Amino acid sequence: SHIRHAWDPTKSVAQNLAEMGLAEDPNKAVPIPKRKVLGMEVESDGQEQGKKMVRKPYVVNEMEYEASLPEKKSNTLSRDLIDYVRYMIQNHGENYKEMARDEKNYYQDTPKQIKRKINVYKNFYPEEYKDFIASLKQEKMDVQ
């Protein structure tokens, strides 16, 4: 978006990018160093470019600032997995072998796989898990 706002449609791509301090061709922006091959000096095809005046340095500065911001985590679990874990805990408690034999275990998960899914749910939604367990305990008390 920063490039879009600073873009001048009357100029070429190369001119626009040069004004912003961005490279059009990465091969020219980062020249290949000279190497020696069997005693002979081989020059790379890197052309000496004069310093270009950057007229719009704010574009690069804004892009660098945006890139330096920490990324927020937006990981969530699927609704199906949440429902599956809640169903298993509600009907079987902590008995993973029983969960593995349950008819809702469509993917034929082993007890360890089910335990792992429940732990993932606990890690993603710790507050929701605590509330769910508390509501199960309350239901058991009400039944008795």
Side-chain angles (χ1 to χ4, degrees):
S1 66
H2 304 295
I3 294 173
R4 189 177 299 121
H5 292 299
W7 196 265
D8 184 0
T10 62
K11 295 182 181 178
S12 71
V13 173
Q15 290 172 335
N16 270 309
L17 292 176
E19 281 185 356
M20 293 178 212
L22 301 172
E24 175 194 15
D25 185 6
N27 294 323
K28 291 178 183 173
V30 181
I32 299 171
K34 296 180 182 180
R35 296 184 296 165
K36 289 190 176 185
V37 178
L38 299 174
M40 296 173 50
E41 192 171 305
V42 178
E43 290 187 25
S44 63
D45 195 26
Q47 300 168 352
E48 288 292 322
Q49 294 182 356
K51 291 279 185 181
K52 292 184 180 177
M53 184 179 289
V54 179
R55 293 187 182 145
K56 300 176 183 175
Y58 61 90
V59 175
V60 174
N61 295 339
E62 288 171 353
M63 289 173 64
E64 284 176 351
Y65 172 74
E66 207 171 87
S68 70
L69 293 175
E71 214 175 297
K72 57 183 175 183
K73 288 187 178 182
S74 62
N75 296 342
T76 58
L77 298 178
S78 69
R79 190 75 235 165
D80 292 338
L81 180 65
I82 293 171
D83 293 340
Y84 172 77
V85 167
R86 287 175 151 243
Y87 169 81
M88 290 298 187
I89 293 172
Q90 192 170 10
N91 291 328
H92 305 292
E94 294 286 320
N95 191 342
Y96 301 110
K97 288 184 181 180
E98 225 177 88
M99 290 179 195
R101 286 190 229 110
D102 192 291
E103 63 184 16
K104 290 253 183 163
N105 184 8
Y106 300 125
Y107 298 110
Q108 297 182 352
D109 293 331
T110 64
K112 276 190 174 184
Q113 289 172 324
I114 295 171
K115 186 175 183 177
R116 197 174 306 121
K117 286 182 180 182
I118 291 173
N119 286 335
V120 166
Y121 175 71
K122 285 180 190 177
N123 292 336
F124 270 78
Y125 304 105
E127 294 299 318
E128 191 176 313
Y129 177 75
K130 287 177 187 172
D131 294 341
F132 178 62
I133 296 298
S135 70
L136 286 178
K137 287 181 180 176
Q138 186 64 35
E139 284 177 18
K140 285 182 183 176
M141 288 182 172
D142 292 342
V143 170
Q144 291 175 356

